[in-house]
């Protein structure tokens, strides 16, 4: 249950205006613990099956058609008190596709002064066994390993396999296409195509961190992997009245 204090674990929490520890407010910012509102004129379906069927009838996985839902978050007395009085508006649109979805985040500076932010789509992907997941597209990238004291390394592997330990890596300047291959015959390969997000994060708490999380069972960590797109290694500057847009499209490989 969303209580405006702690984020709901799972899905795609929105990190804004700060990734990580924040001296002005909660970790990862306030967007993921706030109540958003459905935008006026936004289309919604009560059943995911209806949404996917409508998307399939309206074009392909990469097309512009499909059922969608847009939600919004604006600054409030509470957010302005935390974040130096900044005025903003966030608009998140999720569009159903035949084999996946497209998610777009728009950030608008409604104030009279420039502000800086970091942001990320904290996507959880279900899997049968996280240790058999492989992420492709990270070879050659510099990454910050938060699990090893924020030390910096270069990824040498073409196929990044999640080790049997706590994993929290920030890959700088990641390519716009990543591939996630998951364990199990029913787990389709996923393609993650990002736009205007510079970085990527790979995260799994493993045993030791899972035990510290009251909202995660001690034995639930093998059932998911977070592959997250964002702009987190350097802040984005947004002028007064300007907007910034980032997106990801996640599509599954067709069944044989």
């Amino acid at each position: 249950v969303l209580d405006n204090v702690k984020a709901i674990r799972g899905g795609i929490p929105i990190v804004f205006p700060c990734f990580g520890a924040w001296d002005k407010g909660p970790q990862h910012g306030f967007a993921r613990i706030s109540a958003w509102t459905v935008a006026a004129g936004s289309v919604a379906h009560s059943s995911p099956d209806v949404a996917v069927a409508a998307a399939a009838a309206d074009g392909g996985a990469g097309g512009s058609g499909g059922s969608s839902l847009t939600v919004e978050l604006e600054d409030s007395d509470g957010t302005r008190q935390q974040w130096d009085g900044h005025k903003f508006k966030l608009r998140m649109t999720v569009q159903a596709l035949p084999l996946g979805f497209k998610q777009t985040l728009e950030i608008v500076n409604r104030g009279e002064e420039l502000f800086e932010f970091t942001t990320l789509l904290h996507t959880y992907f279900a899997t049968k066994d996280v240790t058999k997941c492989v992420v492709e597209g990270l070879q050659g990238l510099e990454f910050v390993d938060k699990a090893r004291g924020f030390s910096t390394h270069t990824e040498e592997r073409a196929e990044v396999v999640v080790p049997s330990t706590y994993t929290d890596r920030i890959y700088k300047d990641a390519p716009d296409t990543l591939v996630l291959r998951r364990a199990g015959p029913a787990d389709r390969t996923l393609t993650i195509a990002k736009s205007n997000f510079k970085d990527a994060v790979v995260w799994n708490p493993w045993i030791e961190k899972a035990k510290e999380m009251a909202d995660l069972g001690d034995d639930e960590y093998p059932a998911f992997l977070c592959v997250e797109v964002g702009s987190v290694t350097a802040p984005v500057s947004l002028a007064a009245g300007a907007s910034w847009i980032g997106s990801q499209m996640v599509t599954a490989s067709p069944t044989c």
Side-chain angles (χ1 to χ4, degrees):
V1 177
L2 183 65
D3 58 5
N4 300 114
V5 175
K6 189 173 181 60
I8 296 174
R9 190 165 303 284
I12 311 177
I14 307 298
V15 172
F16 175 87
C18 182
F19 171 77
W22 190 29
D23 59 0
K24 300 178 186 298
Q27 176 167 300
H28 290 329
F30 45 67
R32 67 181 190 148
I33 61 173
S34 298
W36 296 50
T37 58
V38 176
S42 178
V43 177
H45 287 283
S46 59
S47 166
D49 294 336
V50 174
V52 172
D58 201 19
S64 60
S67 299
S68 65
L69 174 68
T70 298
V71 292
E72 299 176 334
L73 177 68
E74 292 191 7
D75 57 275
S76 64
D77 290 342
T79 66
R80 289 191 295 272
Q81 184 176 6
Q82 286 183 343
W83 194 33
D84 303 326
H86 292 308
K87 296 181 179 181
F88 66 88
K89 184 174 185 176
L90 307 185
R91 287 176 58 89
M92 184 188 70
T93 300
V94 179
Q95 178 188 358
L97 303 172
L99 295 175
F101 65 90
K102 182 176 181 181
Q103 180 180 19
T104 302
L105 177 66
E106 180 182 12
I107 300 172
V108 180
N109 184 346
R110 302 194 314 121
E112 298 179 355
E113 298 179 352
L114 175 147
F115 63 61
E116 294 185 334
F117 65 89
T118 50
T119 187
L120 174 132
L121 306 180
H122 199 308
T123 311
Y124 286 71
F125 292 103
T127 183
K128 299 294 184 184
D129 183 353
V130 69
T131 64
K132 293 182 172 61
C133 287
V134 172
V135 182
E136 300 175 354
L138 302 173
Q139 188 175 29
L141 298 185
E142 182 179 288
F143 69 90
V144 176
D145 194 336
K146 294 175 68 175
R148 291 189 283 173
F150 289 83
S151 54
T152 301
H153 309 268
T154 298
E155 184 57 72
E156 299 179 351
R157 298 167 296 174
E159 297 183 342
V160 177
V161 180
V162 177
S164 298
T165 186
Y166 165 49
T167 300
D168 196 350
R169 298 177 176 178
I170 305 169
Y171 288 88
K172 301 179 180 180
D173 296 319
D176 283 343
T177 301
L178 302 173
V179 175
L180 172 60
R181 291 197 283 109
R182 300 174 295 167
D187 284 347
R188 300 186 189 182
T189 296
L190 300 176
T191 298
I192 305 165
K194 66 180 179 68
S195 175
N196 210 28
F197 287 108
K198 293 192 62 175
D199 311 308
V201 174
V202 177
W203 179 78
N204 182 274
W206 202 248
I207 301 170
E208 58 271 28
K209 292 292 182 180
K211 290 182 178 179
E212 299 173 5
M213 298 176 179
D215 57 349
L216 185 67
D218 291 352
D219 59 350
E220 292 180 334
Y221 66 89
F224 69 89
L225 176 65
C226 289
V227 181
E228 314 156 21
V229 302
S231 289
V232 298
T233 57
V236 179
S237 296
L238 194 61
S243 64
W244 175 96
I245 297 176
S247 67
Q248 70 170 349
M249 184 167 65
V250 178
T251 52
S253 60
T255 56
C256 298

